[in-house]
Amino acid sequence: MNAPATLRDRATGPATKACTVNPLKMSQPLGAALAFLGIAGSMPVFHGSQGCTAFGLVLFVRHFRESIPLQTTAMNEVTTILGGGENIEKALLNIHKRAKPAFIGIASTGLTETKGDDVAGDLRLIKDAHPELDMPIVYVSTPDYQGAFQDGWAKAVTAIIESMVTPAATVKGQVTILPGCHVTPGDVIELRDIVTAFGLSPIILPDLSGSLDGHVPGDFSPTSLGGTTQAEIARIGASEFAFAIGEQMRPAARALAERTGVPTRIFSSLTGLGAADDLFASLSALSGRPVPDKYRRERSQLVDAMLDAHFFFGGKRVAIGAEPDLLWALGAWCKDMGCEIAAAITTTESPVLVRLVADGVRLGDLEDLEVQAAGCDLLITHSHGRQAAQRLGIPFLRMGPPIFDRLGAAHRVIVGYKGTRDLVFEVGNIFLAHGHELRPDGEGPDVREEHGQGSPVGERACASPGHPDIPPGRLESP
């Protein structure tokens, strides 16, 4: 897919390689499956081969470190050629018999999209023939060869709204939040607390904080452990207002506004002082209440953190590889802190990237990121970027799924005043550990404790030409 002129002309443009060498992108069906996991009692289903589902299952299990409900229609060579209607029917009947889900979300894959299965038509015939399948079944077209992770998430949320949300009389104080896929379960919990503090009642669609927040369930469940209930989805049409987090959620917000008339607003990011101010001002205006003292204190703490940290951020060159909305949130925040975005690699088109102040934004892979990140002070991407950071000898910050070599990925918070403050400290400490860190007299770099996440990168970064205090070879000069 060709990039639009707005993005292609201001950037280095899409990669011209014949193939992806070191993938940054995850596919649309994965994004759709994750969105379906935010619905209570849900069972996501991939309409594709068992291998398609196995890879997605492994990725989610390694990132969240939880059991993940995910099923497949198990297409093979014969059914792929002849059509997968019978496989869908068998899969739905088996899932209904064994798991008793309250909701089923079906995402197509590249295999069935290439064949051209009429899944929507098959579903109508199957539901007519089997009235026992009385749960909501939402289908979304998500071919692997188009778009990326956040596109699949957005399509799934839009499909849920279009098939399950209906207009209703407005309930004062009820607010719908449509988070993007870059919003972690921890972020969702923080957002719910913020909205509730203004006396508002939030409904979050989808709500990963209920299903993938890393809690120990009281009993085994073959479906998702929590999330947005059908009753809550039915009440979304009665919301007084709706917030969408991320440009990816614009189609879902538009669908909600068109179906129910609920006023909506898109927040491109909730990370950073200005972005958080915008959120709190909006909630204050909507609720008619002043910002609670707790959050005024958190804002003051964020401002102080920025004052303390700006010495270590100024002029730093940062390379970021992420989905567009996460790239925008991190890139805009880094720019506010005084950093230079020296490399920005993303996975799919988004109009928000045109606003990013960077040397360029490329649709590419981790190989492109590694090439452009040479000489940078920090590399930010998911866990698959760790080898590139090690080869380049620069610090590494893991952001965005999959994060499979660190604990607590689901609980990281980067939204609001508190989340931004913690992010300032996290990145500032990485710069500190690889720059002007004070240490006892006589202690050399070889015995210094490793900080950050870039081991053994730190030692190499201290001896880099970019370090102003210890130029290479200077100590050996006469």
Side-chain angles (χ1 to χ4, degrees):
M1 183 173 62
N2 293 328
T6 51
L7 180 58
R8 184 173 60 245
D9 292 347
R10 70 177 294 272
T12 49
T16 56
K17 295 182 297 187
C19 64
T20 296
V21 176
N22 191 2
L24 168 68
K25 180 171 72 173
M26 296 190 297
S27 66
Q28 281 199 94
L30 283 173
L34 185 59
F36 289 143
L37 286 171
I39 307 300
S42 170
M43 178 63 77
V45 179
F46 276 3
H47 183 34
S49 70
Q50 289 179 307
C52 297
T53 310
F55 278 116
L57 188 64
V58 169
L59 185 142
F60 285 147
V61 168
R62 295 181 77 193
H63 178 77
F64 290 104
R65 298 180 185 271
E66 303 292 340
S67 60
I68 301 293
L70 187 60
Q71 289 291 339
T72 176
T73 56
M75 299 290 286
N76 57 35
E77 297 88 341
V78 175
T79 55
T80 299
I81 295 172
L82 299 181
E86 290 187 7
N87 280 46
I88 296 175
E89 182 178 12
K90 290 179 181 177
L92 291 178
L93 293 176
N94 282 333
I95 292 170
H96 171 69
K97 178 181 178 181
R98 297 178 179 179
K100 304 293 183 185
F103 172 92
I104 295 177
I106 302 177
S108 65
T109 62
L111 181 70
T112 50
E113 288 287 347
T114 303
K115 164 62 172 59
D117 279 356
D118 180 14
V119 177
D122 289 338
L123 283 176
R124 284 193 293 271
L125 296 175
I126 293 169
K127 296 205 72 169
D128 289 342
H130 299 281
E132 68 270 26
L133 299 175
D134 55 353
M135 78 290 289
I137 302 175
V138 175
Y139 165 71
V140 61
S141 172
T142 51
D144 300 83
Y145 46 79
Q146 290 181 350
F149 189 77
Q150 73 169 41
D151 298 310
W153 171 285
K155 286 182 178 180
V157 179
T158 304
I160 292 171
I161 291 173
E162 290 177 340
S163 59
M164 298 178 66
V165 174
T166 56
T170 301
V171 175
K172 188 170 178 57
Q174 178 177 299
V175 178
T176 293
I177 300 175
L178 304 174
C181 65
H182 59 303
V183 179
T184 68
D187 287 330
V188 172
I189 293 171
E190 176 70 8
L191 278 173
R192 179 185 286 109
D193 290 344
I194 291 173
V195 173
T196 304
F198 284 88
L200 302 172
S201 177
I203 297 177
I204 300 167
L205 179 71
D207 186 1
L208 293 180
S209 71
S211 58
L212 291 171
D213 65 337
H215 65 283
V216 178
D219 195 7
F220 171 77
S221 172
T223 63
S224 60
L225 297 174
T228 316
T229 65
Q230 291 186 46
E232 289 176 321
I233 296 175
R235 291 193 285 112
I236 284 178
S239 293
E240 188 177 5
F241 207 85
F243 297 110
I245 316 301
E247 183 64 30
Q248 65 188 280
M249 301 309 293
R250 187 175 294 279
R254 185 183 301 121
L256 178 61
E258 290 176 351
R259 289 183 64 83
T260 65
V262 174
T264 61
R265 179 176 175 187
I266 312 292
F267 287 89
S268 57
S269 171
L270 297 180
T271 301
L273 180 62
D277 281 347
D278 198 14
L279 171 66
F280 280 91
S282 298
L283 292 174
S284 180
L286 179 62
S287 65
R289 296 187 181 187
V291 176
D293 291 341
K294 171 186 175 182
Y295 295 105
R296 292 178 183 273
R297 182 77 171 184
E298 288 184 0
R299 186 184 191 279
S300 179
Q301 292 172 345
L302 171 58
V303 172
D304 185 70
M306 294 171 68
L307 288 170
D308 294 342
H310 81 277
F311 300 103
F312 312 104
F313 280 78
K316 289 290 193 297
R317 290 168 52 82
V318 178
I320 308 173
E323 296 272 323
D325 280 328
L326 182 59
L327 174 59
W328 163 255
L330 296 174
W333 169 76
C334 284
K335 196 67 183 176
D336 288 346
M337 293 297 296
C339 298
E340 174 188 352
I341 310 303
I345 303 295
T346 192
T347 58
T348 185
E349 291 293 339
S350 175
V352 74
L353 296 177
V354 178
R355 295 155 47 195
L356 185 64
V357 181
D359 291 347
V361 181
R362 176 186 285 274
L363 300 180
D365 57 18
L366 289 174
E367 182 185 63
D368 301 313
L369 180 64
E370 183 173 347
V371 170
Q372 296 190 22
C376 287
D377 300 290
L378 179 65
L379 179 68
I380 303 175
T381 189
H382 54 58
S383 287
H384 288 297
R386 65 196 189 285
Q387 294 96 340
Q390 190 168 21
R391 284 191 291 268
L392 293 169
I394 60 178
F396 180 44
L397 177 65
R398 293 160 176 81
M399 277 286 182
I403 298 178
F404 49 78
D405 53 350
R406 291 292 185 274
L407 299 174
H411 293 280
R412 171 180 267 166
V413 178
I414 63 169
V415 302
Y417 297 129
K418 186 171 69 174
T420 306
R421 179 202 65 192
D422 292 347
L423 185 62
V424 168
F425 289 146
E426 184 176 9
V427 176
N429 284 332
I430 292 176
F431 287 144
L432 262 171
H434 296 84
H436 297 269
E437 186 179 26
L438 300 175
R439 50 182 180 268
D441 294 339
E443 180 182 315
D446 56 328
V447 298
R448 190 177 56 163
E449 183 183 1
E450 287 288 352
H451 289 271
Q453 305 177 60
S455 175
V457 172
E459 306 308 334
R460 300 170 62 186
C462 286
S464 70
H467 193 286
D469 292 344
I470 312 175
R474 181 65 58 85
L475 295 178
E476 289 74 28
S477 300

